[in-house]
Amino acid sequence: MLKMSFFVGLFLCILFFVGCASSSVAPAWVTNPDEVLDSKVSLWAVGTGSDRKSAENDALSLLVRSIQQQVVATSDSSKVLSGSHEAGFQASYNHSSSVATVSSIKDVPGVSFSQSWIAGNGTVYMLATLNREEAGRFYRQKISDLSAVVESEILFATANEGTWAALAALDNAVAKAWENQGYIDILAGVHPDVYRMVSLEYGSAQAVETLAERHRDKIHVGVAVEGDSNGRVASILQSTLATIGLKAAADGGSNGYVLQGTVSMEPLDNDGKYEYVRFVVDVELRELSTGKVLTSYSKNGREAHLTKKEAEQRAYRTIEDALKKELAPQLKNFVEKN
């Protein structure tokens, strides 16, 4: 008898919870959410689906759309973010570290699925809410952290003007500034009041981009090639610098750099039909103030033709092609990592 009473009670409990979850009367948050939810406290969205997971995903998608709409409304009525020109930078930032980002709005503190309801036809309704205060604090901190990175990179570049390291720091600052802009946009949607208090020392992502572009003009790279009788290798080295946004200088200057190359053409024994030449090209990027070789490139091979002159022309074409396809990416990679 006791066992039967247990199962009867369990069955009645199950019926009770199922009845609550699938009540034929839709709750107010489904039919009139504006009347029961406070928009000053949270943003919300009601998603639907055939099961709980799909309803959650739909609610999240709608919540993101709601934030985007809020961003437009806030941005249209708010000031343009600006900052001072003072050097309020943090010099203690470790340039090898990075600020972690949030991969999904679902990971943001303040997002919750507070209510669910199953309609008579089996459709699942899910209420997703985003607490404005909690999310606002989260994004404000992310903006503060990234701003410190950007400002520190700018300070580092200023102290090391005209160097590859400074350019790499500014390129990182540009990337972080645009990432920060994404957080600022979201903050505008989730908490307009906190958004209006944001002030960036570096001004804007566009301003950092301009700063990085101007810095490229301050890097002086001379080009000097021995054995380049017709100037073809020097010309291609100058073009290679242009592909990574740099201009070849007449000379690097005491604090600059030089792309120093040597070219040699050595005739080989002919086979009675063709003339052969062996070519060797070496290129080094040197820091003039220290004499240090920062990166180097070498290529050798041989070419043949009916005459020695034509064989040399083929060798030059091979050298030009190799410099374009191999040296240019190497220099680009060097700039990005240094």
Side-chain angles (χ1 to χ4, degrees), residues 47-73:
T48 60
S50 58
D51 52 40
R52 182 181 179 89
K53 184 174 180 59
S54 59
E56 283 186 2
N57 290 337
D58 186 49
L60 278 176
S61 177
L62 293 172
L63 189 58
V64 169
R65 192 179 305 172
S66 174
I67 292 173
Q68 291 171 338
Q69 292 170 347
Q70 292 278 331
V71 169
V72 173

Side-chain angles (χ1 to χ4, degrees), residues 168-290:
L170 287 174
D171 285 344
N172 185 48
V174 170
K176 296 304 181 186
W178 279 114
E179 183 181 345
N180 217 18
Q181 187 59 52
Y183 288 136
I184 292 169
D185 288 343
I186 295 175
L187 180 62
V190 301
H191 205 310
D193 290 340
V194 175
Y195 161 78
R196 292 185 180 96
M197 292 188 293
V198 172
S199 178
L200 303 175
E201 289 288 339
Y202 58 83
S204 66
Q206 293 93 331
V208 181
E209 273 192 341
T210 300
L211 188 63
E213 287 303 315
R214 288 176 179 172
H215 182 81
R216 291 180 185 274
D217 293 333
K218 298 177 181 179
I219 296 180
H220 300 159
V221 184
V223 174
V225 184
E226 293 182 12
D228 185 24
S229 58
N230 54 18
R232 289 174 64 175
V233 174
S235 178
I236 199 65
L237 289 180
Q238 292 170 356
S239 298
T240 299
L241 289 172
T243 63
I244 56 175
L246 300 172
K247 295 179 180 178
D251 64 80
S254 61
N255 295 318
Y257 305 86
V258 62
L259 265 181
Q260 197 164 14
T262 59
V263 181
S264 65
M265 296 283 178
E266 179 186 354
L268 301 176
D269 293 338
N270 63 51
D271 59 5
K273 182 178 181 180
Y274 294 106
E275 297 285 345
Y276 291 86
V277 295
R278 181 177 183 271
F279 68 86
V280 178
V281 58
D282 294 301
V283 180
E284 293 178 340
L285 176 64
R286 287 182 177 272
E287 186 175 44
L288 291 175
S289 61
T290 63

Side-chain angles (χ1 to χ4, degrees), residues 281-311:
V281 58
D282 294 301
V283 180
E284 293 178 340
L285 176 64
R286 287 182 177 272
E287 186 175 44
L288 291 175
S289 61
T290 63
K292 181 181 178 181
V293 175
L294 304 177
T295 187
S296 62
Y297 172 83
S298 183
K299 184 79 172 181
N300 65 78
R302 69 174 190 168
E303 292 291 343
H305 208 275
L306 295 174
T307 66
K308 178 176 175 292
K309 184 176 180 180
E310 286 299 326

Side-chain angles (χ1 to χ4, degrees), residues 31-106:
T31 57
N32 297 295
D34 292 335
E35 296 182 4
V36 296
L37 299 171
D38 189 351
S39 61
K40 294 181 180 179
V41 175
S42 61
L43 287 169
W44 68 83
V46 178
T48 60
S50 58
D51 52 40
R52 182 181 179 89
K53 184 174 180 59
S54 59
E56 283 186 2
N57 290 337
D58 186 49
L60 278 176
S61 177
L62 293 172
L63 189 58
V64 169
R65 192 179 305 172
S66 174
I67 292 173
Q68 291 171 338
Q69 292 170 347
Q70 292 278 331
V71 169
V72 173
T74 302
S75 299
D76 286 346
S77 62
S78 183
K79 64 180 177 62
V80 176
L81 290 176
S82 60
S84 73
H85 294 292
E86 301 300 323
F89 304 131
Q90 299 181 17
S92 61
Y93 167 66
N94 182 347
H95 296 278
S96 64
S97 66
S98 61
V99 178
T101 58
V102 176
S103 59
S104 167
I105 192 173
K106 191 174 181 179

